[in-house]
């Protein structure tokens, strides 16, 4: 019985490893297009940002690392936005009132979009908060970061600068 269980576990690992990843979780593949409303109700569409480097950051107000990262992302946005770079902050909460309260206390200058139905969260296979996806000027996913620890922003800056130079 033990031998059969080991064989089944090995088979399950082989199947899991061979399953195709979604486009959003595969660097080099096109980023799935989306349209979401901003805090003002204006729709923003990823495809319309082609030609720019786009950092898509999935976050929630209850997420401590998200709250820690948000002002740092705003600093990056302010530094590189004139060079063809944009950040889209995607709030994933069904009730966006707490996100709006947080943003009132810690305002950012980049667009915040609301994925209240978690449609985009599922499309991008987000399973950690925050999740950051960096998309190149051609609309392809180039980098994916799950979670946040102090210092990650230095990696973001390097990757953004490299993509802006391409």
């Amino acid at each position: 019985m033990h031998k059969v269980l080991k064989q089944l576990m090995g088979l399950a690992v082989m199947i899991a490893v061979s399953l195709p990843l979604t486009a959003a979780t595969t660097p080099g593949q096109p980023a799935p297009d989306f349209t979401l409303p901003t805090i003002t109700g204006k729709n923003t569409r990823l495809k319309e940002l082609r030609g720019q480097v786009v950092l898509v950051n999935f976050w929630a107000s209850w997420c401590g690392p998200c709250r820690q990262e948000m002002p740092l992302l705003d600093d990056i946005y302010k530094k590189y936005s004139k060079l063809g770079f944009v950040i889209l902050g995607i709030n994933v909460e069904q009730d966006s009132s707490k996100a709006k309260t947080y943003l009132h206390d810690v305002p950012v200058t980049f667009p915040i979009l609301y994925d209240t139905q978690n449609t985009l969260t599922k499309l991008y296979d987000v399973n950690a908060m925050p999740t950051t996806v960096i998309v190149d000027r051609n609309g392809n996913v180039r980098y994916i970061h799950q979670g946040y620890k102090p210092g990650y922003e230095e990696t973001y800056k390097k990757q953004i600068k490299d993509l802006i130079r391409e």
Side-chain angles (χ1 to χ4, degrees):
M1 179 73 169
H2 190 282
K3 184 177 180 181
V4 171
L5 185 58
K6 273 181 127 176
Q7 288 175 334
L8 286 174
M9 298 260 312
L11 181 60
V13 168
M14 286 174 41
I15 291 170
V17 169
S18 66
L19 288 174
L21 298 172
T22 62
T25 58
T26 306
Q29 296 296 315
D33 191 28
F34 60 85
T35 302
L36 286 175
T38 65
I39 195 167
T40 62
K42 179 184 176 222
N43 282 334
T44 299
R45 184 172 183 191
L46 180 63
K47 192 173 188 174
E48 292 173 355
L49 298 173
R50 287 268 167 87
Q52 297 187 67
V53 174
V54 181
L55 184 149
V56 181
N57 179 262
F58 294 88
W59 69 282
S61 64
W62 49 258
C63 165
C66 301
R67 295 168 72 97
Q68 185 179 11
E69 180 182 52
M70 193 67 70
L72 302 171
L73 290 175
D74 198 46
D75 291 342
I76 294 170
Y77 178 69
K78 288 174 184 174
K79 183 172 183 174
Y80 296 107
S81 63
K82 292 181 178 147
L83 301 173
F85 169 71
V86 68
I87 293 178
L88 299 177
I90 312 295
N91 181 263
V92 302
E93 297 167 88
Q94 291 178 346
D95 176 6
S96 57
S97 64
K98 289 182 182 173
K100 291 174 184 174
T101 300
Y102 170 74
L103 292 169
H104 178 73
D105 296 338
V106 184
V108 295
T109 55
F110 57 85
I112 299 294
L113 311 174
Y114 295 96
D115 185 24
T116 57
Q117 302 301 312
N118 291 128
T119 306
L120 188 57
T121 306
K122 291 173 188 165
L123 182 65
Y124 274 73
D125 196 27
V126 173
N127 55 26
M129 282 292 122
T131 291
T132 300
V133 178
I134 303 177
V135 179
D136 67 20
R137 295 179 188 272
N138 297 317
N140 295 313
V141 173
R142 293 292 287 273
Y143 303 101
I144 300 166
H145 303 276
Q146 293 185 337
Y148 172 76
K149 290 184 182 173
Y152 280 19
E153 66 277 3
E154 296 305 319
T155 301
Y156 300 163
K157 285 187 227 177
K158 180 187 180 323
Q159 292 170 342
I160 290 162
K161 285 191 286 188
D162 289 348
L163 292 176
I164 287 172
R165 290 181 185 131
E166 284 185 359

